[in-house]
Amino acid sequence: MGVDVRFNTHVKRLGLEPDVSLDYPGEPFNWQKSSIKYIETDREKIYGDFFILCTDVWTTALLDPVGIDSHLRPKKRMIFQVTSPGIREIINKNIFNDSGVFPFTIFPTGVYARPYPSAGAFWTSLADDINRDFSFTEHPEPEPEFYSYNIKPIFDAYFPAFQNSKITSSWAGYYSYNTIDFMPYIFNALNMVIVSGTTGGGIMKGDSIGRIVAARYKNEAYTTLYNGEKIENTYDGYYRTTKIEDMIL
């Protein structure tokens, strides 16, 4: 398909330059017509006429230096793999049917447990917002105390099998939120299409997002979704945007 893939390549910055350079320090100036000429990586500069950024929580760091708002904020999320004698006893039992696997269960306050039978464990997490800042680090670390003080007390109250549970593994990462309505946000700026705030959309909206990006790349007025429904792509000055409200795949 003509795609050249770069694995293990760190994108460092966007190269904003004037279309006609005067070779003068400080370019580009406000009165010069400018665009993104390249992306700089830890290996090379990759030049192009048009760029599509699907860079998740790294989008803000790439757009901030060139003065473009990403419209997203990061939220740290953690998953803990936990086990106990009680968990190992019930993990292969289903209280609702005879499938032999304990069901995915959501508890009060949003705590949830996903069975991982081969390890005799559950994966647990909680999407917390209040008292969870918007800070970002390149390599986030899980916080065992978050499980101990925010998740385990709920399990202890509702699910005796979790008593004496211990963390056997854990992971941390980020959600990228469009904080206005938590919907994916796709917009044009300069010679780019930027896809931001996709966390929460995932597979459900991935097809629609791809169709919108393709339509906006071709500067089309409308995007035709999978079911034939059309949504408008508005192009308004410097920022040209599409807000996804209700997308039916």
Side-chain angles (χ1 to χ4, degrees):
M1 296 179 68
V3 175
D4 188 5
V5 179
R6 302 284 201 281
F7 291 106
N8 302 314
T9 301
H10 174 63
V11 177
K12 299 169 65 175
R13 71 182 185 93
L14 304 176
L16 177 66
E17 293 184 349
D19 291 354
V20 179
S21 176
L22 303 176
D23 294 323
Y24 196 84
E27 291 184 312
F29 301 111
N30 185 260
W31 43 266
Q32 290 176 300
K33 184 178 179 181
S34 305
S35 59
I36 303 300
K37 302 297 185 182
Y38 62 87
I39 58 171
E40 182 178 342
T41 74
D42 56 352
R43 299 182 178 187
E44 60 186 327
K45 291 181 179 178
I46 302 175
Y47 289 83
D49 298 322
F50 199 92
F51 297 88
I52 298 172
L53 265 61
C54 304
T55 43
D56 201 59
V57 290
W58 291 270
T59 304
T60 299
L62 290 171
L63 293 181
D64 276 357
V66 295
I68 299 173
D69 188 357
S70 69
H71 305 287
L72 72 83
R73 301 291 297 277
K75 273 282 190 178
K76 183 178 179 180
R77 294 289 181 250
M78 295 166 284
I79 294 178
F80 302 92
Q81 179 177 299
V82 298
T83 190
S84 70
I87 289 174
R88 287 191 291 269
E89 182 179 345
I90 59 94
I91 195 72
N92 289 311
K93 297 179 180 179
N94 193 322
I95 59 176
F96 299 112
N97 55 51
D98 298 325
S99 67
V101 178
F102 201 92
F104 180 98
T105 306
I106 301 175
F107 293 83
T109 76
V111 170
Y112 65 83
R114 173 198 182 278
Y116 185 26
S118 62
F122 277 96
W123 287 359
T124 69
S125 188
L126 167 65
D128 60 320
D129 288 314
I130 300 301
N131 203 32
R132 172 65 58 187
D133 61 30
F134 286 103
S135 61
F136 176 80
T137 60
E138 192 68 29
H139 301 288
E141 295 291 334
E143 305 161 16
E145 63 275 11
F146 182 76
Y147 174 75
S148 299
Y149 297 116
N150 290 275
I151 296 177
K152 191 174 184 301
I154 303 301
F155 286 145
D156 287 348
Y158 288 91
F159 202 2
F162 271 82
Q163 293 176 3
N164 302 315
S165 62
K166 295 181 179 180
I167 299 172
T168 56
S169 190
S170 56
W171 305 266
Y174 290 98
Y175 271 19
S176 59
Y177 282 139
N178 160 16
T179 56
I180 298 300
D181 58 9
F182 300 99
M183 297 292 288
Y185 195 81
I186 303 108
F187 65 102
N188 289 61
L190 299 175
N191 55 326
M192 297 183 290
V193 172
I194 295 117
V195 181
S196 70
T198 55
T199 295
I203 293 175
M204 294 182 292
K205 298 183 178 68
D207 180 89
S208 298
I209 291 170
R211 291 170 184 268
I212 291 169
V213 169
R216 298 187 70 82
Y217 170 74
K218 293 183 286 187
N219 206 40
E220 295 179 346
Y222 292 89
T223 296
T224 303
L225 301 181
Y226 178 80
N227 67 343
E229 182 179 348
K230 293 181 181 294
I231 59 173
E232 184 179 5
N233 302 320
T234 57
Y235 299 89
D236 183 16
Y238 183 76
Y239 292 110
R240 303 179 295 171
T241 65
T242 298
K243 283 296 295 298
I244 304 176
E245 300 298 341
D246 295 307
M247 300 186 304
I248 304 172
L249 299 183

